Amino acid sequence: MSIPDSAPKGATRSLFGDDTAGHDPAEDALGPVAEVAVPVPVDRPFTYALPPALASAVEPGSRVLVPFGSRRLLGVVVEVRARKEEERRLKDVAAIVDKTPVLPPELLSFLREVASYYLSPLGEMLALALPAVERKSIIRLRKEGIAPPTVSRVAPLRSEKWVKLGLAAAPPDGKRLGPAQRAILEHVQGASEAKLAELVERWPNAREAVKRLEALGLVVQEERAIPTSAFDRPEERDVPPELTDEQATAVAAIGAAIDAAPSASAATRGFLLQGVTGSGKTEVYLRAIAKALARGRGALMLVPEIALTPQLVARFRARFGDEVAVVHSALDPAARHAMWRRLHAGELRVAIGARSALFAPVPALGLVIVDEEHDSSFKQEEGVRYHARDCAILRAHRAGAVSVLGSATPSLESIDLARRGKLGHLRLHQRARAQPLPKVEIVDLRHVGPGPSGNPKISLPLHRAIEATLAAHEQAILFLNRRGFAPAVICEKCGELRRCPDCDVSLTLHQKAGARALRDGTVEAVRAGLRCHYCDRVEDLPGRCPKCQGTLALEGVGTERLEDVLAVAFPTARIARLDRDVASGREVEGILRRMRGREIDLLVGTQMVTKGHDLPHVTLVGVINADGAISMPDFRAGERTFQLLVQVAGRAGRGDAKGTVLIQTRSPEHPAIACAARHDVDAFLERELLDREELGYPPFSRLVLLRLDGDKEPRVVEIAQQLAALAEETPEVKSGKVEVRGPSPAPLPRIRGRFRYRVLLRGPRPELRAVARALKRALEGVGRDVRVVVDVDPLSMM
């Protein structure tokens, strides 16, 4: 195991040192020790001595402050045990940070298993589930003379003082109370307790009077957290609708599993709920959650980030009131911490959120739901590269809970689990309101020309369909999964393409300024100009080609340009755009609210328009270019294209009027497009499974992808070759059970000035993990000039 540079010389799993922080050897034999995971790139915890003053207070899941080299770090205790004879001169745990453990036993053990599976540093894995440090904890440490750690997240201190009766029944002999003091005491005696702020409103000198009463033992002051709500307004409670026969069957099966859990076998506690778009999967989820609550169990529901809209949250609040925790990046720190605190205290038993909600401390967990389980956003692509869907199944299994995966277009991995009996397969074949699925027409751009606009991206059939939709005062969605105005700018004379100097990609022209959401929930301005979508470099559009002074031409169409084309072609239409450049957080809901209010006629958007939005007046969906995703160098390209087409098509015809979908393509025979046009999910899955089995790709094998990048390409290639050669020497590869492919350049060979290579491992899980672990150990000798990431079960091959 490698030790960070900051760790003391000679350290292994324990932090040995010659300073005065250690116990006397005679005392070492008696005291317990704590195994502490700290946020450093090391797979194992470190061992610290527990001083007598802390020994009774520290438990697994406690957050502590520990010395680490010259620093003090926040760590999490994963085990408390007796000291071994050889463990002498250990450094002490400096302080306990929180009054109670922040990670419950169920959650702590789950996180340890996830870290082991994804070959991730334990401390970094646990950090994903930790709440912000409360400001009052930092204040307490300072009062105790302990320098608090430097932390990036501090929960705001939102509290208020309360006054309640003390132990003394009357003033001590010889002590007399003033009029205000007597009045305040009588008020508190009558009410048993009162807010200090309310006392000050009635008696202006109440603060001094209360201090005097507290000094006499007649009252005590107590600081309490102010309840924080993440909701702006109350939500009217709903009346559950009558279930369809298929919904009732699904609810009954899930309910029976909840009744039988946790004693039932794992195979009977997991379900794949496959239902067409608009089939009422959400109502099944609501009924299942109600069942879990009735059994005294908690529930957790994960949804893709862009599907976590106020509309969805409002539906849950209408059913369960404000007893729902919402976990997402748009919450302010105080509201986010309040949600965590109330879940941790058992005040809330339902949590709904995006990927990170997987780690919410839901009490007595009895149900875990993953909606749109096929969605790629459930895979974390930075840091600890876990897949929230797979981890949700694991957490439910460990907690003795029921898991439900829902989708109109299930992933091949989930279908395979259902076919092998690992998940029960529940089907919803019809829409809940008995609306027919939209009629899908394929527009073959090889044979069909543009409409009156003259733009080839708006074919004649699509143009006429938009005209008919506007004439009927209905709404349309135009889907194009490409942001910006023009994806490429090229010189008509010399053919020079404007490229990002730091990435091997073309620059995209953005003609309109706007704002886009960042991963931390904040928003940044987007200025017009040539922009790299990978490193965010922005430069002005030159008037002529810098190389030959030729005329520059704009190639391709993005959502900005499509919006302009539609404005010219349909001048009376009210047009809006929904993509990351114009909307984030509340802005997204604002646009969707305008759609529901029929203030928008045509909505242009990227995949943000495809996820779970219920827009009853949308009767037309136009897919501008169905071929873009198919050509990606990824074995999952066909599956992703099919899922995207089915999902966006499902936005049409969800109200009283029938829906129509037009898919523009030059590859109408491709199975992803042909099956999507027929709404034939089963046929696509069957064909794709056969192809995957023949080629040996998941779900019929497991993958581990080593991703390497560095500033100097020869050095990256050298390390990649060494790792591939090491893998070739392992018994699992020599026996033919594990295959090594590469090294090879990544499909995007350079991003942010760093050269990217990869080595792919493929094989059955046990043997594959043995090879991956051997390579992980070898990474200890790799210098900092090359970054190597071990991606277990990679989703993106880019």
Side-chain angles (χ1 to χ4, degrees), residues 535-737:
C535 71
D536 289 335
R537 176 189 179 90
V538 180
E539 59 183 52
D540 294 330
L541 176 67
R544 288 189 170 274
C545 174
K547 184 176 180 180
C548 72
Q549 297 303 305
T551 302
L552 295 176
L554 306 181
E555 296 289 328
V557 175
T559 49
E560 281 185 22
R561 195 173 193 177
L562 179 61
E563 184 182 19
D564 286 356
V565 169
L566 291 169
V568 173
F570 307 99
T572 62
R574 297 166 296 176
I575 304 172
R577 176 162 52 96
L578 182 58
D579 58 30
R580 287 180 56 210
D581 294 334
V582 297
S584 62
R586 294 182 185 273
E587 290 83 1
V588 172
E589 179 56 23
I591 292 175
L592 295 176
R593 190 180 302 116
R594 290 169 58 201
M595 280 289 289
R596 289 191 288 270
R598 309 187 80 165
E599 299 173 25
I600 298 171
D601 299 315
L602 306 178
L603 180 62
V604 177
T606 59
Q607 62 178 334
M608 293 181 74
V609 303
T610 70
K611 303 296 183 182
H613 308 310
D614 192 2
L615 304 171
H617 305 298
V618 171
T619 58
L620 173 66
V621 168
V623 178
I624 303 302
N625 178 19
D627 303 327
I630 293 177
S631 60
M632 300 294 286
D634 191 323
F635 70 89
R636 289 190 174 92
E639 181 184 10
R640 290 200 184 101
T641 299
F642 174 77
Q643 292 166 345
L644 202 55
L645 292 177
V646 172
Q647 293 290 333
V648 71
R651 301 312 104 204
R654 297 172 75 97
D656 296 329
K658 294 181 179 180
T660 301
V661 180
L662 269 65
I663 299 177
Q664 298 187 154
T665 176
R666 289 182 174 84
S667 307
E669 70 286 344
H670 193 285
I673 295 174
C675 291
R678 301 194 307 267
H679 301 288
D680 199 341
V681 177
D682 291 343
F684 175 80
L685 293 174
E686 189 66 38
R687 177 173 182 135
E688 192 72 7
L689 283 168
L690 289 173
D691 290 345
R692 296 277 186 90
E693 185 174 21
E694 181 179 349
L695 297 173
Y697 278 112
F700 301 100
S701 67
R702 294 282 179 165
L703 302 179
V704 170
L705 186 63
L706 274 64
R707 304 178 186 268
L708 300 89
D709 64 82
D711 297 329
K712 296 179 176 58
E713 186 173 17
R715 176 63 174 161
V716 178
V717 173
E718 176 189 357
I719 298 300
Q721 289 173 339
Q722 290 177 1
L723 290 173
L726 179 61
E728 295 283 1
E729 294 301 316
T730 59
E732 293 80 8
V733 174
K734 286 185 174 182
S735 66
K737 293 182 178 179

Side-chain angles (χ1 to χ4, degrees), residues 407-421:
S407 177
T409 54
S411 65
L412 268 68
E413 287 81 1
S414 297
I415 283 290
D416 181 64
L417 288 175
R419 291 190 172 190
R420 291 191 289 120

